[in-house]
Amino acid sequence: MHVVSVRGVTKIFEEGSNHIVALNGVDLDVDAGEMVLLMGPSGSGKTTLLSVMGCILRATSGSVELQGREVGNLPERELPKVRLDNIGFVFQGFNLFPTLSAGENIELALDLKGIRGAAAEARASDLLAKVGLEERYASFPANLSGGQKQRVAIARALAGEPALILADEPTAALDWRSGENVMEMMRAVAHTYGRAVVVVSHDSRVLPFADRVVQLEDGRLVENAAQEAPQRTGKKSAGGWNLQPSGAGD
Amino acid sequence: MPPLARRNLFHDKVRAAVTLTGVVFAVVLMVVQLGLFVGFTVTTSGIIDHSGADLWVVSHNTPYIEQGTPMPEQKYYNALVTPGVERADKYIVRWGEWLTPRGSQESVQIVGFNPNTGFGGPWNVVAGRVEDLKTPDAVMIDELYKEKLGVTRIGEVVEITGRRAKVVGFTRGIRAFTTTPYVFTSFKNALDFTREREDQTIFLLVKAKPGADLEQVRRDLKARLGDVDVLTAAEFSSMTRHYWMFTTGAGMGILISALLGLVVGVVVVAQTIYATTMDHIREFGTLKAMGAPNRYIYRVIFTQAGISAVLGYLIAMGVSIFVVRGSQQGGASIVVPYSLDAAIFVLTLAMCMTAALVSINKVTSLDPAMVFKQ
């Protein structure tokens, strides 16, 4: 069973009399322990696809399955619970709560899951330790570097133990050294913690971190877009780099 | 739950100061405007409310206290022998002319009462004694009007409507809502100062016997005295307030001003609370994207509003104490009874919560996809 499975997804935005087709019949499966990189030029539909997979946007047509459950046709009021139970988000702008410390940002995510008090504090400390920030529990986001903020955001995304982590341009606001660290961490999230990770990026330097690269253009997955990605030490060995669009080899 | 609401409010000290200033300004504005309104209404009927009488006998169709017309003294005697009546006093409230020692003339309201019983007499006496008013020509005024009436101390002699008067004491806080100060004196002196006939009175103040059925006493008085109205103190007070409030422009002006204060207060608070929520709109979007149910976000916003309301109210009450005390030294009468304090607290809370509701509407309609936009 795939963690997330998208079939024939189309998303059309209506602006007045204009119909903008953001996604056009996209098929994509992502499995546990796999890190998929979504690439493509601006306006190609990367973030829209991420939003549809994240149950933030509803597809105009097609099917979205999360851990075998069809979520594309769920009523709006049920989607927050689906997100809370299954998905962790990492944003380009970090989206940490500036008035809460690093630890409290993670505690907030735990609070949403009903974990509070000493248990939440211990879990937040543990997560911060996992991203190498155990000393920064009480630091506010304003006092953290960009890379540190993104690591806190990754820890927060993991707080609810979601099966799927969706990251939108997680390195875009970082210098390359910090970005590299973040990507290493994202890969560890997939490989060590067995999460399905989907990263949207337009930065080709992140290619070597992915198990699979999916190219989007004009809302469609590009056929025959495979290219050789440089090997990285410690990358998932099974299957090697797979730059084929999902379904291309079906 | 991490203290998101509290931190949202106080993490940025300058923003917190701006938010609280908005609420404090609105609350002080409401306190002052509503306090002026209450002060006006209380002042118009202060003499009645402090009279200590159970019933007021007034000439038929007397609309308010300043408009009393004379009635024969015989009614006083008839009242005294009415069953259930413990005591009745003749009482007068009439305009007079006060000639200051400097020679200038001021209009005053002569209040003539029985110094032996004290019904309808001065209260809050801070210099002299009510008993001193038994002496011929003796008068008592409020210390607020010393300068206006050209008086600096007890013992000074002035002239009222061409007759000698001697100041024997001062009260504090007995304010006239018009520009004419009250001058307390004995009923007998008042007849002289107002040139009323000795065999007449303007009002009768009646005290019922303990345990007497007031309604029955009222019916008996009406039956015995004939062409008069017998009103409870509360009724006459209400009639007087109503007259000044709704028949004259002055009352309506203050009422409109109070309502405007209320509206401005509501708008300022609403705007302040709304702005506080909007400052954190992106974070609420993030919460939604993370899967927070709406009620979780509502709780944060309502907590923010509640903290703003309580803190703003407490600070505003501190400021208002100075404003009210200042007004007591000056010409304005701002009266803030505990009931008004409580009402303004409820109002502040309601305003903050309503403003929170408006911003909640904005947050509810928030597209969680905004979190992917830079």
Side-chain angles (χ1 to χ4, degrees):
Chain A
M1 182 177 66
H2 306 295
V3 170
V4 63
S5 179
V6 167
R7 285 281 169 276
V9 160
T10 298
K11 178 66 184 174
I12 300 171
F13 292 103
E14 306 210 358
E15 288 180 4
S17 56
N18 292 336
H19 298 273
I20 298 162
V21 182
L23 294 175
N24 194 352
V26 173
D27 297 331
L28 179 66
D29 299 322
V30 186
D31 295 324
E34 184 184 29
M35 179 154 146
V36 171
L37 188 60
L38 264 181
M39 298 198 79
S42 290
S44 59
K46 303 185 297 290
T47 301
T48 303
L49 180 56
L50 200 73
S51 301
V52 169
M53 285 194 289
C55 298
I56 280 178
L57 275 184
R58 298 163 76 88
T60 308
S61 64
S63 148
V64 180
E65 276 186 15
L66 258 179
Q67 308 216 81
R69 180 191 179 196
E70 176 60 50
V71 293
N73 53 8
L74 286 179
E76 196 75 46
R77 65 177 183 282
E78 288 184 29
L79 296 181
K81 179 89 170 83
V82 172
R83 292 198 291 269
L84 185 62
D85 290 343
N86 299 286
I87 307 166
F89 290 96
V90 177
F91 305 103
Q92 177 181 348
F94 322 123
N95 289 33
L96 296 177
F97 296 88
T99 61
L100 299 180
S101 71
E104 288 167 338
N105 264 278
I106 299 168
E107 280 187 54
L108 185 66
L110 291 166
D111 187 55
L112 293 174
K113 296 283 282 185
I115 303 166
R116 301 186 178 97
E121 218 168 292
R123 175 111 178 92
S125 292
D126 182 47
L127 284 163
L128 277 179
K130 281 191 166 77
V131 295
L133 291 173
E134 59 269 45
E135 305 295 320
R136 308 308 297 267
Y137 193 101
S139 298
F140 284 91
N143 299 323
L144 298 174
S145 68
Q148 288 173 327
K149 284 180 199 171
Q150 201 58 297
R151 280 148 70 189
V152 174
I154 292 169
R156 182 179 68 179
L158 286 172
E161 302 194 332
L164 175 63
I165 301 283
L166 300 176
D168 183 42
E169 305 274 10
T171 62
L174 306 176
D175 60 77
W176 176 238
R177 181 177 288 276
S178 302
E180 207 171 19
N181 280 335
V182 164
M183 289 309 293
E184 289 281 11
M185 214 157 274
M186 298 298 292
R187 195 168 59 161
V189 166
H191 296 176
T192 310
Y193 298 104
R195 315 291 182 216
V197 177
V198 179
V199 176
V200 161
S201 181
H202 61 266
D203 184 350
S204 57
R205 287 181 298 182
V206 303
L207 276 169
F209 295 91
D211 298 319
R212 189 149 57 97
V213 177
V214 172
Q215 190 81 16
L216 267 170
E217 267 183 41
D218 296 330
R220 292 173 185 273
L221 293 187
V222 179
E223 301 289 336
N224 304 319
Q227 56 182 335
E228 194 63 33
Q231 295 276 319
R232 271 193 85 85
T233 310
K235 84 170 182 60
K236 191 181 177 188
S237 55
W241 297 107
N242 177 9
L243 300 182
Q244 292 295 321
S246 173
D250 288 350
Chain B
M1 178 181 184
L4 186 58
R6 184 162 51 83
R7 293 282 182 75
N8 278 356
L9 277 176
F10 300 115
H11 188 75
D12 180 345
K13 304 284 184 291
V14 175
R15 191 72 189 87
V18 170
T19 301
L20 285 178
T21 302
V23 178
V24 168
F25 169 77
V27 175
V28 170
L29 182 70
M30 286 190 298
V31 168
V32 169
Q33 291 298 336
L34 293 174
L36 273 170
F37 177 73
V38 173
F40 178 84
T41 56
V42 166
T43 306
T44 55
S45 61
I47 297 279
I48 304 168
D49 299 331
H50 287 88
S51 68
D54 293 322
L55 297 169
W56 283 65
V57 179
V58 305
S59 299
H60 188 49
N61 286 336
T62 299
Y64 58 102
I65 191 167
E66 286 81 5
Q67 198 64 14
T69 54
M71 64 177 90
E73 189 182 31
Q74 184 59 40
K75 292 189 188 294
Y76 163 66
Y77 297 109
N78 288 341
L80 280 176
V81 295
T82 302
V85 171
E86 183 176 73
R87 180 175 290 148
D89 283 335
K90 291 181 279 187
Y91 196 65
I92 189 168
V93 177
R94 269 286 195 258
W95 306 102
E97 290 300 326
W98 176 289
L99 190 64
T100 68
R102 298 188 299 267
S104 62
Q105 201 156 310
E106 294 286 348
S107 287
V108 292
Q109 284 190 85
I110 309 294
V111 180
F113 71 106
N114 180 354
N116 292 315
T117 63
F119 285 150
W123 63 97
N124 285 348
V125 177
V126 292
R129 297 174 308 154
V130 174
E131 294 75 39
D132 297 339
L133 290 171
K134 292 176 187 171
T135 57
D137 308 331
V139 296
M140 196 177 275
I141 61 170
D142 195 275
E143 59 184 7
L144 269 175
Y145 301 107
K146 278 180 174 176
E147 191 179 338
K148 181 181 175 77
L149 299 178
V151 174
T152 56
R153 57 183 167 77
I154 287 176
E156 279 197 76
V157 174
V158 296
E159 206 174 274
I160 301 176
T161 325
R163 298 186 73 90
R164 179 184 184 276
K166 184 180 175 185
V167 177
V168 298
F170 295 106
T171 60
R172 180 172 294 158
I174 302 183
R175 193 186 298 268
F177 73 96
T178 60
T179 55
T180 54
Y182 290 120
V183 176
F184 290 94
T185 187
S186 68
F187 181 79
K188 187 175 180 315
N189 288 337
L191 288 177
D192 291 338
F193 292 143
T194 59
R195 294 178 181 161
E196 292 292 335
R197 282 165 46 182
E198 283 191 19
D199 60 351
Q200 288 186 332
T201 182
I202 306 297
F203 304 106
L204 292 175
L205 304 191
V206 174
K207 185 75 180 169
K209 285 179 179 167
D213 178 353
L214 204 58
E215 272 308 305
Q216 186 59 48
V217 176
R218 184 191 347 215
R219 280 195 294 273
D220 290 345
L221 279 168
K222 176 76 178 154
R224 196 173 283 254
L225 303 185
D227 188 24
V228 294
D229 291 332
V230 183
L231 307 166
T232 63
E235 285 171 345
F236 196 36
S237 171
S238 170
M239 285 167 62
T240 299
R241 288 179 183 189
H242 186 272
Y243 174 82
W244 287 110
M245 194 55 60
F246 299 110
T247 312
T248 68
M252 284 308 288
I254 289 175
L255 183 61
I256 290 168
S257 175
L259 289 175
L260 276 178
L262 205 62
V263 170
V264 172
V266 168
V267 169
V268 169
V269 167
Q271 203 278 335
T272 301
I273 299 293
Y274 184 78
T276 304
T277 307
M278 290 303 110
D279 278 350
H280 298 279
I281 195 78
R282 190 168 180 82
E283 288 144 57
F284 292 125
T286 302
L287 266 178
K288 286 189 86 166
M290 286 166 67
N294 279 338
R295 65 175 181 281
Y296 191 94
I297 297 169
Y298 297 164
R299 201 167 66 196
V300 173
I301 295 173
F302 276 127
T303 306
Q304 280 180 204
I307 293 172
S308 303
V310 172
L311 264 185
Y313 173 82
L314 290 176
I315 297 170
M317 281 298 130
V319 174
S320 299
I321 287 171
F322 287 105
V323 174
V324 170
R325 282 189 183 160
S327 83
Q328 284 165 352
Q329 309 299 318
S333 169
I334 300 176
V335 176
V336 188
Y338 290 127
S339 55
L340 183 60
D341 283 343
I344 288 177
F345 176 69
V346 172
L347 200 61
T348 307
L349 209 54
M351 286 189 309
C352 288
M353 293 303 164
T354 307
L357 270 180
V358 175
S359 44
I360 273 175
N361 188 42
K362 183 82 177 172
V363 172
T364 305
S365 59
L366 202 61
D367 179 2
M370 73 176 287
V371 291
F372 292 126
K373 293 168 188 155
Q374 286 302 299

